[in-house]
Every structure is written in C-alpha cells, then in structure tokens.
Amino acid sequence: MAMPRPGPDVPMRAGRREWSGLAVLALPTMLIGLDMSVLHLAAPVLGERLHPSGTELLWIVDIYGFMVAGFLATMGTLGDRIGRRRLLLTGAAAFAAASLLAACSSSVGMLIASRALLGVAGATLMPSTLSLISNMFRDPGQRRVAVAVWMTNFSIGGMVGPLVGGVLLEHFWYGSVFLLGVPVGVVLLIAGPPLLPEYRDPGAGRLDPVSVALSVTTVLPVVYGFKEIAQHGVRTLPLLSLAAGLCLGVLFVRRQLRLPDPMLDLRLFASPAFGVSLAGLTLGLFAVTGTQFLLLQYFQLVLGLSPSVAGLWALPAVGAGVVGALLAPAVAGRTGSLRVMAGGFLLSVPGLLLLTLVGPGSGPFLAVVGFAVVSFGVQAALALTNDAIIGSAPPERAGNASGIGETGANLGEALGVAVAGSVAAAVYRAKLEGSSLPDGMGPDRAEAARATLGGAAEAAGHLPERLGGELLGLARTAFTDGLHMAALVNIGVLMTLTAAHLTLLRRETADRDAVELGVHLREMEAESGAATEPGAETVPGRR
C-alpha cells in the first residue's frame, strides 16, 4: 500500500515505528559501505592466493563501487515504479546470493565478475533506503538527523570493513569476507515488512537502458586507461580507451539534456549550491577512501602487521569519523552548514601532511593519528552534504538530486581507490625501475617485484636473507613514496573543496545582504510615501 501524502491527518513528526525502521535501514546502508572497504585489508591476502596483477587487484577492489554508481539512478526509477520497500527486499536477497558466489570464487576473473554482480545488487539498496527515509521523516529537523545517521552508518561500514575483514582473514579463508551480506539480507527480509512502509510514485519516469549503458561504458574505459597508464606507461590501447570513454561521456551528457525525463537531471548543476555540495560528497569520499586503502596495505606489507592488528589500528579513525559526523548537525545549526563543511575539509589537511612523514621505520602511530584527523574532518563535512544536495534542488526534483548524490558518493569511493592505487603504483614502479635490484633474480620475479609490493615480498622469499632484505627495503621505501604522493594529491583536492565552499558562502552571504538591503529600502520608501500623502499626520519640527 502506498504511503499517504502529507495532509492534516498525517503527523509531521516521526514516531517509534519510523525510528525503528531507521535502525533496520541502517543495516543495508552499513553493508554497502562495508563491502566497499572490506577488501582493502584483504588485498595482500588476495595477492598471495590468486596472484592478480596490480591492475587486476584494483579491479577486484573497485569494480563493485563503479557498478553501484552506474546502476543507482536506474534502480531509483525502478523503485518508484514497483515500490521502494519491494525493491529493497528483492535487492537484499540478490545481494546475499551474489555474496555466496563471490565467496566461492576460485579465479581472478570469477571474483571480478562476482564483485560486479554484487555492485548491481548493491545499487538496489542505497536509493531505497534514502528514499524511504525522506518519506518516513517529514519534519525537516528529524529528517536532517535521520540523513546524518544514514550517512554515518554508510561511513561506519566503510571504516569498520577492514577490522571485520581482518578478523575473518585470520581465522577463515579469504572468501569469508564476502559472506557478511548473507545475515544482513536475512534480517532485512524478516524485519523489513512490518517496520518499513511501502512507497511508489504513480508518475514515475520510464527506464532508459541506453542511458544506463552509456553511464557504465563512460566510466569503465576511462578508469581502465588510467590504471594501465599508471601500471605500464603510455601505450596505444589505454589512450584509445580513455578517448572512447570521453566520447561516450559526451553522448551521455547530450542524451540527458535532451530527454524530458532524464536518468540524471544535469540541469540541477545550474545551481552553484548543488554543484559544490555534490563535489564535496564525491571528492570527500574520494580522499578518505583512497587514503584508507593505501594505509591498510602500509600496515601489513610495510610494517608487517597481521590483518586483525592492522584492522585494530584503523579503529581510532572510525571513532573520530563517527564523532565528527554526529557533531556536525548540531554545530551547523549554530554556524551554518557551509562553514562546517569548509572547516571539516580544511581540518583534514594537517592529517594528510602527517601521512607524508610516515616511512618504513616510523611505526603505526603517526599514520593512525594522521588518518584519524582526516576522518574526523571529512566525515563532519560529509554528514551535511546529502541534506545540502537535496535542499539546494527544487522540491519536485529532490528525488533526482538524491539519486545524483548517491551516484556521486559511490563513484567517489571507487575513484578514490582507483586513483590513489594508480598514483601509488606509478610511483612505486618508477622508483624500482630506477633502482638496481639484487643479483640472482630471474626476469619474471624482477617484473613481479616491480609491479607490486606483494610481488616484491614473494620474490624476496626466494633470495638469500641479505639480498631479500635489500629488495624488501627498496620496495617498502618505494611504496611509502607512493603513499606520500597520493596524500599530496588528496591535499590538493581538499584545499580545492575548502575554497569552493568558502566562495559559495561569500556569495550566499552577499545575496542575503542584498535581499535584506532591498527590503529595508522598500520599507523606507513606503514610510516616505506614507508621510507625503495628503492628510498625513505632520511631524512637529519637520518641513
């Protein structure tokens, strides 16, 4: 049954059922974030068991996020047509099945394909959860809190994923990290029907398969080309892939501007507030996710920590992120959202500067403190971005704005891993190719050592102790140099976001002052006109 529209008989403020429903919606939200990051810690183990190349390893990690981003808008439209709750429960069952398939993968190709299917299933969950929240919480203040809780759970999932993955990897096989979707799917199927209302839009737009295909085929060739250039240098095929992706992107944009009911309403970008808020969401997640991906490998492959210990060292950043996200709405109520978002991004820069100081012998403490500062600042800003995105759009286009925001969030996470991994890989390879590797290595092992730090560790095991230690020292130093370069890239990203939000704040302040001045002048003119009318009361002493 469709949820009733707001009216005099519909209470504006949410009650116990709605808040209980929010707790149920937190499960798939946390699961999506968790499944994006759970492989950050499993990457070294996957390298040992399946022996993927550096590029294949990045595809295993980030293909999930790219597929979620590519199908989010379509699943949002599908949910409007068949019902949001129905789509959520169907997606939960599909996600559980795809999780089982990924857990049983025995080859690199099978695992990449399984992760892609997980992404398609995951795309059904996010638009359903946020849309249901917007219908369950009609009061603006309650909705802001509910959206902040939703975003916090997404972030918690992304940051707790490494810890959960570390514990599973220490006690079970690598496929166990994918089984987390099974119990969550079961809980959703049981608790969802009594606690979540059904909602569908009788005027929902039609599905556009061409736009879906263009959106996916725009991103993947560009990412493929970027990764291949970072891994192997400039070659013809990666350049052609980049060009093809950009051409498809132009076609996608032209189609969205031409359609009366587009998959993504790009006309929303005419609002500076919408564009800046979306950039904050996408690039904020870009910075924090890419940093986390490299740091967890640093803990294991450079410092030699076990997966579970590495996951434990990530907990301070989780706690800092949660505190930042929960404090942000209260502070924004006093100072304004733009100030909090700009301050959060700026606060994260010193944390990234600390990461440029870590090295093979610095231990985990410096990296943990730096990442906790990054997490606190970025998560405080991100807690406000979704509400800012929806609030900057006209009410009749809020659904499309929400879909674009969700797409930006998932695209930011996937691109964060892809770009940070590619930058670090390019620096790593350049450093090793410019260094003299120990004698006694065959060409295959030398190439494996130049490709990834995991390959260097495996090659070192086949050398005498002194030569193996020399190779590991070179490789670990090269990896930390790549980590430093990725941190510098993210500093540039966050400084740009800070400047953009401050510029928007100044513009909105100037516009508000201009409006207030106009109102004041009109009041003065009205008073002056009233004073000069015939019969108006004269004021003693005034001509």
Side-chain angles (χ1 to χ4, degrees):
M1 182 177 67
M3 188 171 183
R5 301 288 185 184
D9 298 326
V10 179
M12 288 292 293
R13 294 187 61 82
R16 181 179 300 175
R17 183 191 177 199
E18 285 77 16
W19 290 108
S20 300
L22 179 63
V24 173
L25 293 176
L27 290 174
T29 306
M30 189 179 298
L31 178 64
I32 295 167
L34 189 149
D35 223 61
M36 282 191 169
S37 67
V38 71
L39 288 191
H40 294 184
L41 202 62
V45 178
L46 291 172
E48 294 176 5
R49 306 288 174 81
L50 298 179
H51 304 289
S53 67
T55 302
E56 287 174 336
L57 183 60
L58 287 177
W59 278 119
I60 291 172
V61 174
D62 60 29
I63 186 64
Y64 171 84
F66 287 127
M67 298 305 287
V68 170
F71 283 89
L72 266 175
T74 298
M75 294 304 179
T77 302
L78 181 61
D80 285 340
R81 294 172 69 91
I82 69 172
R84 292 292 189 177
R85 185 180 68 185
R86 182 179 178 185
L87 180 67
L88 176 66
L89 299 181
T90 302
F95 197 93
S99 298
L100 288 171
L101 182 62
C104 299
S105 297
S106 57
S107 66
V108 172
M110 184 177 179
L111 184 53
I112 292 175
S114 301
R115 290 278 291 170
L117 291 175
L118 271 171
V120 176
T124 66
L125 304 180
M126 282 195 73
S128 301
T129 55
L130 192 55
S131 177
L132 285 170
I133 286 173
S134 67
N135 283 277
M136 292 161 59
F137 297 90
R138 307 297 182 91
D139 177 75
Q142 287 187 321
R143 186 173 63 247
R144 176 183 289 184
V145 173
V147 171
V149 170
W150 177 85
M151 190 65 202
T152 301
N153 278 280
F154 179 70
S155 302
I156 290 174
M159 303 189 78
V160 170
L163 175 61
V164 176
V167 173
L168 292 174
L169 289 170
E170 289 232 342
H171 296 90
F172 306 99
W173 89 112
Y174 71 87
S176 63
V177 298
F178 301 109
L179 295 178
L180 299 168
V182 177
V184 171
V186 172
V187 171
L188 266 176
L189 291 172
I190 295 174
L195 291 176
L196 301 176
E198 183 58 285
Y199 172 79
R200 60 177 59 88
D201 182 4
R206 66 184 185 87
L207 299 176
D208 182 20
V210 176
S211 292
V212 178
L214 284 174
S215 68
V216 175
T217 55
T218 292
V219 174
L220 296 184
V222 171
V223 174
Y224 168 81
F226 184 78
K227 289 179 180 179
E228 288 295 314
I229 290 173
Q231 186 75 23
H232 303 294
V234 178
R235 296 182 180 181
T236 302
L237 183 59
L239 289 176
L240 290 175
S241 179
L242 283 170
L246 293 175
C247 290
L248 290 168
V250 171
L251 292 176
F252 175 77
V253 170
R254 293 181 63 183
R255 183 173 181 83
Q256 300 313 297
L257 294 175
R258 189 174 66 249
L259 289 175
D261 187 21
M263 174 179 141
L264 294 179
D265 191 351
L266 302 182
R267 289 176 286 269
L268 289 169
F269 286 92
S271 165
F274 178 85
V276 170
S277 300
L278 180 64
L281 176 62
T282 302
L283 296 179
L285 284 170
F286 171 97
V288 76
T289 306
T291 301
Q292 182 189 58
F293 174 68
L294 292 179
L295 276 182
L296 289 171
Q297 293 190 67
Y298 166 79
F299 287 152
Q300 293 178 84
L301 296 175
V302 177
L303 301 184
L305 302 179
S306 67
S308 60
V309 173
L312 285 172
W313 278 111
L315 279 181
V318 176
V322 171
V323 171
L326 294 179
L327 284 177
V331 178
R334 298 183 176 184
T335 65
S337 295
L338 283 173
R339 286 187 176 87
V340 174
M341 288 189 279
F345 291 132
L346 184 61
L347 179 63
S348 302
V349 171
L352 288 170
L353 287 172
L354 284 178
L355 297 184
T356 64
L357 303 177
V358 303
S362 62
F365 183 75
L366 188 62
V368 169
V369 172
F371 189 43
V373 173
V374 173
S375 177
F376 178 86
V378 172
Q379 297 299 341
L382 294 182
L384 303 172
T385 52
N386 271 294
D387 192 60
I389 288 170
I390 296 173
S392 63
E396 68 275 8
R397 295 156 80 185
N400 209 292
S402 171
I404 295 177
E406 293 160 8
T407 301
N410 286 277
L411 193 60
E413 288 208 338
L415 283 174
V417 172
V419 173
S422 297
V423 168
V427 173
Y428 174 88
R429 188 175 188 88
K431 293 285 184 179
L432 284 194
E433 287 181 345
S435 304
S436 178
L437 297 182
D439 296 330
M441 295 179 63
D444 291 342
R445 289 204 175 109
E447 179 58 29
R450 293 189 184 98
T452 65
L453 179 53
E458 185 176 353
H462 296 278
L463 293 173
E465 183 176 352
R466 182 181 64 81
L467 295 179
E470 180 182 337
L471 175 62
L472 277 178
L474 287 172
R476 287 169 175 166
T477 300
F479 183 89
T480 54
D481 288 344
L483 172 62
H484 298 163
M485 182 58 69
L488 291 174
V489 170
N490 285 328
I491 286 173
V493 168
L494 293 179
M495 290 298 294
T496 302
L497 288 176
T498 302
H501 282 77
L502 290 176
T503 300
L504 181 62
L505 176 62
R506 284 195 295 269
R507 178 182 296 181
E508 291 190 352
T509 301
D511 291 344
R512 185 168 58 251
D513 290 344
V515 170
E516 291 176 355
L517 179 61
V519 171
H520 181 63
L521 290 175
R522 284 193 295 271
E523 290 176 349
M524 292 180 62
E525 290 176 357
E527 291 176 358
S528 175
T532 58
E533 287 180 1
E537 183 179 352
T538 59
V539 180
R542 181 176 296 178
R543 293 182 181 271

